[in-house]
Every structure is written in C-alpha cells, then in structure tokens.
Amino acid sequence: MPEGDAVWRAARRLHQAFTGQVLIRTDFRWPSLATTTLVGARTLEVIPRGKHMLHRVEVSGRGTLDGAWTIHSHFRMDGTWRHSATTHPPGAFRTPTVRAVLATAERTAVGDTLGMLDVVRTADEHLLVGHLGPDVLGRDWDAARAAAHLATASGTIGAALLDQRNLAGLGTIWTAESLFAQRISPWRPASDLTADELVALAVRAQKLIAGSLRYPLSTSTGDTRRGRETYVYRRLRQPCRRCGTPVSAGMVGTPPQDRNLFYCPTCQAH
Ligand SMILES: [Zn+2]
C-alpha cells in the first residue's frame, strides 16, 4: 500500500512534469465527475498531504469557473499516478481501472485504481483533508501535537499510528519500523505510553519516512537491495536484525480497519 513517502514521490514527479503547463485533456472516470473538465487550466503545484495528493490548478477565461481548483486523489491500497510522453492516440488508456487522465502537450498522467477522486475549489480542500493530523512529510509537522493525539487514542499504539487523524502519512511499513526502532509492542495501549515515549516515537516515525525520500523506494535500513530494505516489515520468520529472534506478525485495530503488523517478539515484548 502506498504510504506517505510513496505519495510524496508520485506528487513530486507530477509536480516536475506539470507545473506551469496547460491541460489539453482531462478525463475523469468517476461518477460524480462525469461532466467535469479542466481543459485550459494551468497547474500551479502538485503536493502530497498524508496519503492524499492535491493537484492544484488555475482556471481562467471560463467565467464563474475561474479561480483555483484542486484535483484530489487518494491511493488507497493499489493506486498509482504515472506519466509518460503525450503520444497516445485518442482512445488510449481504456484499461477499466484507469480513473483519470490528465494531459499537457508534453506529458500525459494516468491515475489508476485510485480510491478517491474529487475536483473542488482549492479553498475547500479542508473538507477533504482537514481531518488529517500533522503530516509527517508536511510543513505543518509537529511531533508534540502528533504525540498529544496518540495519547488520547483509545486502542493500541499500532492502531493509533495508522489512524490518519492522529498523524498523517504512516501505513503498515512505517508503523512497524517505527515501533521496532523504539522497542514498543504494537499492542501496548496508546494511553499507557509516557509522553516522552510518544514524542520519541513520533520523532522517529518522521525521521524514518523522511530519510526514505533519498531513495527511490521505501527503506528504513538505507539498503535498497531486495529483502534488505526493512528491519521487520515483510520479514516474517527471518531473524531480527537486532537480536536474532524470528520476526512475527499479528493484527492490530478492529475489523474492517485491522491491519497486519510485523514485529520482533523479543525486542518489542509486551
Ligand atoms: Zn529483536
């Protein structure tokens, strides 16, 4: 599942290719957007917000539609945004999972398997992302505020880290890796952790995910070779890199929001 750093990379790629360029084709394959077109709009910026992407454009010369608009998307489990040269004939991108096509004269971006797609006035973005906690990769990052949110969570610390209202951007990779780094069991009640533990955990999560931005893929170890990217994530039954105990896994949260987290039973004993 794409996490904050994956969305950050995707947003950066689109930002670099689209900023300042005019859209010559917009195709939203989403029921509520069937009649929406942003042809002629110019891209101002593309930014990540937690696991959401905000593609901001400026419309002019269209009367009441003039002004700043945002194409909001969420990657959910398997979503992607990719772009390539605009050379495709009309009728291309007929794959049923394609949800959006945005083209400039130079580049065409395709949003596939997106979990959410909206077009809103930029002034109304908060209606879509206002519920998010401090963004681990955002300008508003605030470890103390994230820790304060975690302290009031009712469930386990594993579930609390995954709840985007507490802090935004972590999925199962960074939740597992951060808890391992801090030697905290995913099943400890969030309210049992001390204020210092929670702040240190939030700081660690941000450092790990931000550190991963230097690489083309998610890595907490700084090693991008296959199977060496993480300490515990997807390393079931392999020896813990710290103590040698076989890595284990278990569910946190309540269905249907429950997720599988990897951990070391020795380093992260209850
Ligand atoms: Zn261990």
Side-chain angles (χ1 to χ4, degrees):
M1 164 162 191
E3 304 199 17
D5 59 322
V7 178
W8 187 92
R9 289 187 192 89
R12 187 176 59 170
R13 286 193 295 269
L14 285 187
H15 180 82
Q16 288 169 344
F18 278 70
T19 300
Q21 303 298 309
V22 172
L23 296 172
I24 61 167
R25 174 185 179 186
T26 67
D27 184 356
F28 301 107
R29 299 176 190 170
W30 200 268
S32 58
L33 301 177
T35 60
T36 301
T37 173
L38 289 172
V39 169
R42 186 181 300 275
T43 296
L44 299 173
E45 60 180 343
V46 184
I47 61 167
R49 184 76 180 85
K51 297 193 232 176
H52 302 247
M53 198 167 83
L54 304 172
H55 185 144
R56 294 171 175 161
V57 301
E58 176 111 74
V59 171
S60 61
R62 287 183 62 190
T64 56
L65 292 177
D66 284 4
W69 290 83
T70 297
I71 303 162
H72 162 259
S73 55
H74 188 284
F75 291 55
R76 287 263 206 250
M77 298 307 280
D78 304 307
T80 56
W81 272 103
R82 294 201 174 88
H83 66 83
S84 54
T86 297
T87 56
H88 309 280
F93 313 115
R94 294 324 308 178
T95 314
T97 52
V98 169
R99 294 283 170 262
V101 181
L102 304 174
T104 69
E106 303 282 324
R107 309 295 292 179
T108 297
V110 176
D112 204 313
T113 327
L114 301 172
M116 295 182 205
L117 188 64
D118 305 274
V119 175
V120 296
R121 289 279 183 187
T122 298
D124 292 332
E125 277 178 1
H126 64 279
L127 299 175
L128 299 167
V129 296
H131 65 289
L132 298 174
D135 184 344
V136 285
L137 297 176
R139 290 175 212 129
D140 71 332
W141 172 244
D142 180 341
R145 196 155 64 87
H149 289 174
L150 293 170
T152 62
S154 58
T156 62
I157 186 62
L161 286 172
L162 290 167
D163 186 335
Q164 306 295 300
R165 294 171 297 183
N166 293 328
L167 68 174
L170 305 188
T172 51
I173 301 173
W174 298 109
T175 295
E177 296 294 292
S178 303
L179 288 169
F180 172 80
Q182 299 303 108
R183 299 176 184 259
I184 294 169
S185 163
W187 292 278
R188 267 181 71 187
S191 55
D192 274 12
L193 275 73
T194 66
D196 285 351
E197 280 181 311
L198 288 171
V199 171
L201 180 58
V203 167
R204 176 73 75 168
Q206 194 277 338
K207 280 205 161 73
L208 284 175
I209 195 166
S212 179
L213 299 179
R214 282 177 284 153
Y215 305 96
L217 49 82
S218 299
T219 172
S220 54
T221 58
D223 194 333
T224 55
R225 286 173 291 179
R226 195 177 176 81
R228 302 197 186 193
E229 308 95 324
T230 60
Y231 288 100
V232 288
Y233 179 76
R234 285 202 176 150
R235 294 194 63 245
L236 189 63
R237 289 191 281 277
Q238 295 176 55
C240 168
R241 299 193 194 282
R242 196 190 270 144
C243 75
T245 303
V247 169
S248 192
M251 305 301 283
V252 297
T254 47
Q257 264 87 44
D258 53 335
R259 306 291 301 278
N260 194 32
L261 280 190
F262 296 86
Y263 70 105
C264 170
T266 301
C267 293
Q268 297 167 265
H270 283 273

